[in-house]
């Protein structure tokens, strides 16, 4: 029998969950505190890296499932999301060894090539030491991915209500009551995918789902233009495994995106700054000048976005009864979108069947 599931949050996790849950025949209502496609959280923008290089086999397997899921989403909606330009990891040898070993243990081969070969293949980047190459890697069109999940969810009957934030969630009979600024909804199950807003929204319920601390940081990304007289190159995605970790990828408009991972200032999601700190941009310029010879080391544009991370940087996909949570995606969860949606749908089905 169809159940009513309320999904809180229309970012990556929320839209992916809505699509998967609605596809299983349940009635789904999605509540989003801001307008569609807003820039106040973690899911906006044009590009995200897709990679399967992790030192935890759980995430390698999740990445493989997500790669299949992205192809299925594209086939279902006709919206192109995944761009297979390849993925590189370079940097500290011990970290590369761990990535390579975990890949081998999960049946994934990461090709190891010397720096000289990598520099010949990707002259826009500089390398010291070996490079791990994963042909399965690439970049995801983030904004198009959200549109695809939303379209698929709506085709399965899900309804979206924007600019109508949930004010609280309380137990009501065998299910839940969700109060918003304009209405009250009764649900058989609730899926909470509200990132940095989750602890305040759940209140005492956070303990019931064993929600770990969620730290919100405001991170910075910058875009650089290729050298006008540089060699013709196809830009890959890459992670430079040093401290702090940097990553980069091609943007749809021909620029190259560069960011540090996890160096942003601790913030409140409603009080974060949209202006990148000058010192962050200075570090990115200096890094580009040293490690990305294929770009002009001047920032063309820059932005901020939020990470909402757990202490271990692990995703939280769990439930307490029929209260399901999908949070803690931090700065690495986008790539797992379809697999996250399916996992949250599995948890919802388990809750409704118990």
């Amino acid at each position: 029998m169809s159940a009513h599931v309320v999904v809180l949050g229309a970012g990556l996790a929320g839209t992916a969950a809505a699509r998967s849950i609605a596809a299983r025949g349940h009635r789904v209502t999605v509540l989003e505190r801001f307008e569609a496609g807003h820039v106040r959280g973690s899911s906006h923008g044009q590009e995200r890296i897709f990679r399967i290089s992790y030192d935890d086999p759980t995430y390698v397997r999740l990445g493989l499932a997500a790669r299949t899921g992205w192809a299925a989403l594209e086939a279902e909606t006709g919206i192109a999301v995944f761009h297979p330009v390849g993925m590189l990891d370079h940097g500290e040898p011990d970290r590369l060894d761990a990535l390579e070993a975990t890949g081998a243990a999960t049946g994934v081969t990461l090709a190891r090539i010397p720096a000289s070969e990598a520099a010949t293949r990707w002259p826009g980047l500089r390398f010291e030491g070996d490079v791990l190459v994963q042909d399965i890697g690439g970049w995801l069109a983030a904004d198009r991915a959200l549109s695809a999940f939303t379209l698929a969810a709506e085709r399965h009957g899900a309804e979206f209500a924007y600019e109508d934030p949930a004010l609280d969630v309380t137990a009501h009979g065998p299910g839940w009551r969700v109060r918003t600024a304009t209405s009250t909804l009764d649900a058989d199950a609730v899926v909470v995918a509200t990132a940095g807003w989750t602890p305040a929204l759940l209140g005492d319920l956070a303990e019931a789902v064993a929600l770990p601390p969620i730290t919100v940081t405001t991170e910075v990304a910058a875009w650089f233009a290729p050298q006008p007289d540089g060699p013709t190159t196809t830009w890959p995605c890459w992670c430079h495994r040093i401290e702090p970790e940097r990553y980069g990828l091609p943007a749809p408009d021909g620029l190259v995106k560069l960011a540090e991972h996890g160096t942003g200032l601790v913030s409140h999601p409603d009080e974060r700054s949209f202006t990148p700190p000058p010192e962050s941009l200075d570090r990115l310029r200096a890094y580009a000048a040293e490690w990305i010879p294929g770009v002009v080391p001047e920032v063309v544009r820059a932005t901020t976005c939020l990470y909402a991370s757990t202490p271990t940087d692990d995703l939280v996909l769990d439930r307490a009864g029929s209260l399901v949570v999908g949070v803690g995606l931090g700065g690495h969860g986008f790539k797992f979108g379809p697999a996250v949606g399916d996992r949250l749908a599995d948890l919802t089905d388990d809750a409704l069947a118990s």
Side-chain angles (χ1 to χ4, degrees), residues 31 48 51 95 115 118 125 135 227 229 249 255 257 279 289 329 338:
L31 301 177
R48 296 290 190 281
R51 61 181 172 89
R95 299 185 69 181
L125 299 172
D135 292 335
Q227 291 282 2
D229 300 321
L249 63 161
L255 299 179
K257 179 180 179 180
E279 58 270 24
L329 275 65

Side-chain angles (χ1 to χ4, degrees), residues 111-248:
R112 182 184 284 262
I113 63 174
S116 57
E117 181 180 342
T120 299
R121 293 176 62 179
W122 298 284
L125 299 172
R126 186 170 78 83
F127 306 97
E128 289 183 353
D130 289 349
V131 178
L132 295 181
V133 182
Q134 47 190 291
D135 292 335
I136 194 176
W139 64 275
L140 299 158
D143 47 2
R144 293 173 66 83
L146 286 188
S147 296
F149 280 129
T150 301
L151 174 62
E154 290 176 332
R155 285 179 175 175
H156 290 297
E159 297 181 349
F160 286 73
Y162 295 100
E163 299 180 270
D164 195 14
L167 302 179
D168 53 52
V169 180
T170 55
H172 180 68
W176 301 93
R177 176 159 286 175
V178 180
R179 186 171 61 92
T180 80
T182 64
S183 64
T184 299
L185 301 175
D186 292 335
D188 300 293
V190 172
V191 177
V192 181
T194 47
W197 290 270
T198 302
L201 173 62
L202 288 183
D204 292 342
L205 290 174
E207 184 175 350
V209 294
L211 184 71
I214 301 294
T215 300
V216 177
T217 55
T218 301
E219 306 291 338
V220 176
W223 284 259
F224 297 83
Q227 291 282 2
D229 300 321
T232 300
T233 184
T234 299
W235 290 94
C237 301
W238 75 92
C239 283
H240 195 177
R241 306 292 185 164
I242 56 176
E243 187 61 40
E245 188 171 282
R246 279 85 167 196
Y247 66 91

Side-chain angles (χ1 to χ4, degrees), residues 98-111:
L99 298 177
E100 190 174 28
T102 304
T106 51
V108 174
T109 299
L110 303 178

